[in-house]
């Protein structure tokens, strides 16, 4: 049973899978549904952990999660990004969401979303100066935590 709140997204993605010649399986439906129910950035491994209980004995392999995320990214339904070198990619669903950019803390990996109309206008103007029309983009700013520098601890870093 799918959650009603993500039914429109599932329908659109199901059509996309069919269009590109891929089967729509119960495993893929649960993977996609959980990705769209999640309102945080998530890794493939984290998504796999979220769906294991729902799948029960009909479990999917982690490779199925990776392949499904790749199809979703290729179709523009999710966006993946590198957060910290060597720690893999995290994803967020983009279908039905307003565009935003990201600031990523180099110290703890926290991702902060923001939107700036001024930056959007500036990016569009700069692309036009180069003789192009912007069709899509993403901005990821990596930074060091000022609290860590000034006070010795990043407020978002969890102790290990």
């Amino acid at each position: 049973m799918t959650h009603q709140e993500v039914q429109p997204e599932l329908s659109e993605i199901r059509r996309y899978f069919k269009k590109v010649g891929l089967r729509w399986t119960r495993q893929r439906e649960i993977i996609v549904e959980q990705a769209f129910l999640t309102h945080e950035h998530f890794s493939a491994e984290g998504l796999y952990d979220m769906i294991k209980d729902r799948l029960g004995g009909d479990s999917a392999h982690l490779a199925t999660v990776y392949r499904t995320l790749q199809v979703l990214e290729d179709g523009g339904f999710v966006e993946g990004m590198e957060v910290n070198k060597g720690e893999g990619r995290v994803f967020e669903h983009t279908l039905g969401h307003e565009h935003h950019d990201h600031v990523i803390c180099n110290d703890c990996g926290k991702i902060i979303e923001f939107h700036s109309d001024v930056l959007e206008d500036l990016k569009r103007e700069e692309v036009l100066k180069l003789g192009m029309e912007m069709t899509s983009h993403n901005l990821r700013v990596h930074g060091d935590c000022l609290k860590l520098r000034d006070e010795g601890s990043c407020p978002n870093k969890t102790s290990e």
Side-chain angles (χ1 to χ4, degrees):
M1 167 108 184
T2 60
H3 290 263
Q4 288 303 103
E5 66 190 272
V6 296
Q7 191 58 50
E9 291 90 342
L10 284 176
S11 295
E12 187 171 336
I13 293 166
R14 189 179 304 118
R15 283 191 299 276
Y16 176 77
F17 268 71
K18 188 173 186 172
K19 178 179 141 189
V20 296
L22 296 171
R23 288 182 33 232
W24 184 254
T25 63
R26 179 173 181 268
Q27 289 90 348
R28 284 181 170 158
E29 181 168 340
I30 289 172
I31 291 166
V32 171
E33 181 181 53
Q34 187 62 53
F36 278 82
L37 286 170
T38 303
H39 298 288
E40 303 291 328
H41 297 90
F42 58 89
S43 66
E45 294 83 0
L47 183 59
Y48 178 70
D49 289 342
M50 289 181 233
I51 64 162
K52 279 196 285 195
D53 291 340
R54 290 183 60 195
L55 284 167
D58 194 20
S59 119
H61 294 279
L62 181 57
T64 304
V65 174
Y66 274 105
R67 284 192 301 271
T68 302
L69 285 171
Q70 185 61 58
V71 173
L72 293 174
E73 191 170 13
D74 291 346
F77 302 108
V78 302
E79 183 178 297
M81 69 178 114
E82 300 293 328
V83 179
N84 287 330
K85 293 176 186 161
E87 292 186 22
R89 293 167 60 78
V90 295
F91 299 86
E92 66 177 338
H93 56 89
T94 55
L95 180 63
H97 287 269
E98 294 293 322
H99 170 76
H100 58 269
D101 296 308
H102 299 92
V103 175
I104 303 166
C105 178
N106 290 327
D107 302 304
C108 70
K110 179 177 175 92
I111 302 169
I112 304 162
E113 297 177 350
F114 74 98
H115 177 81
S116 166
D117 288 332
V118 172
L119 274 178
E120 294 303 312
D121 291 343
L122 183 59
K123 288 183 273 189
R124 198 171 293 105
E125 287 173 24
E126 290 301 315
V127 170
L128 279 172
K129 285 181 192 174
L130 296 170
M132 304 285 289
E133 180 179 359
M134 184 167 57
T135 57
S136 69
H137 73 282
N138 58 59
L139 175 65
R140 295 181 189 114
V141 178
H142 293 261
D144 294 328
C145 178
L146 294 177
K147 282 199 175 251
L148 178 63
R149 183 191 70 196
D150 297 341
E151 299 171 18
S153 67
C154 176
N156 302 306
K157 192 167 188 130
T158 57
S159 56
E160 299 177 29

